Amino acid sequence: QVQLVESGGGLVQAGGSLRLSCSPSGSFVSINFMGWYRQAPGKEREPVATFGYGGATNYGESMLGRSAISRDNAKNIMFLQMNSLKPEDTAVYYCKAAIRRVYGRDYRDYWGQGTQVTVFS
């Protein structure tokens, strides 16, 4: 069974920074998409930053210029550096990955359990 495990969330004062990480566990052969999403109470889940299928990075408008996505390809760990955090960034942050567990099988989307980020003023 493949799982995505996020860490790094927490409580931070406005203007502060946090670094989230996402690490896959279990057996798989390849990953061709990874990204960060967030969902605030009462709102739909939205993309924050993603690695496209060609490796290009894309950022959602919500944290454009204040976040940076990166990836350790050797370990398949994905990071999200968030700076100049605002109270409106408060949300549960999820990582998503398209993972192929067995050669010859299709890629399947997996979601992490989410990590809470709370920004107070």
Side-chain angles (χ1 to χ4, degrees), residues 31-104:
I31 299 175
N32 74 351
F33 173 85
M34 293 189 84
W36 288 100
Y37 296 74
R38 73 182 188 183
Q39 187 166 20
K43 296 187 177 181
E44 294 187 355
R45 193 171 297 186
E46 63 176 1
V48 177
T50 62
F51 282 107
Y53 294 98
T57 56
N58 295 287
Y59 291 91
E61 291 185 3
S62 60
M63 296 200 73
L64 186 63
R66 299 187 293 120
S67 64
I69 189 172
S70 60
R71 180 175 170 178
D72 181 332
N73 288 319
K75 299 179 180 179
N76 287 308
I77 300 176
M78 178 176 63
F79 303 96
L80 181 69
Q81 178 68 40
M82 303 186 293
N83 303 316
S84 302
L85 284 163
K86 305 174 183 180
E88 51 263 45
D89 295 321
T90 295
V92 178
Y93 285 71
Y94 298 90
C95 72
K96 176 185 176 182
I99 298 175
R100 174 182 280 170
R101 293 187 61 196
V102 179
Y103 283 113

Side-chain angles (χ1 to χ4, degrees), residues 1-2 32 97-101 105-110:
Q1 182 71 15
V2 172
N32 74 351
I99 298 175
R100 174 182 280 170
R101 293 187 61 196
R105 295 286 181 89
D106 290 338
Y107 285 91
R108 174 191 163 188
D109 287 343
Y110 290 84

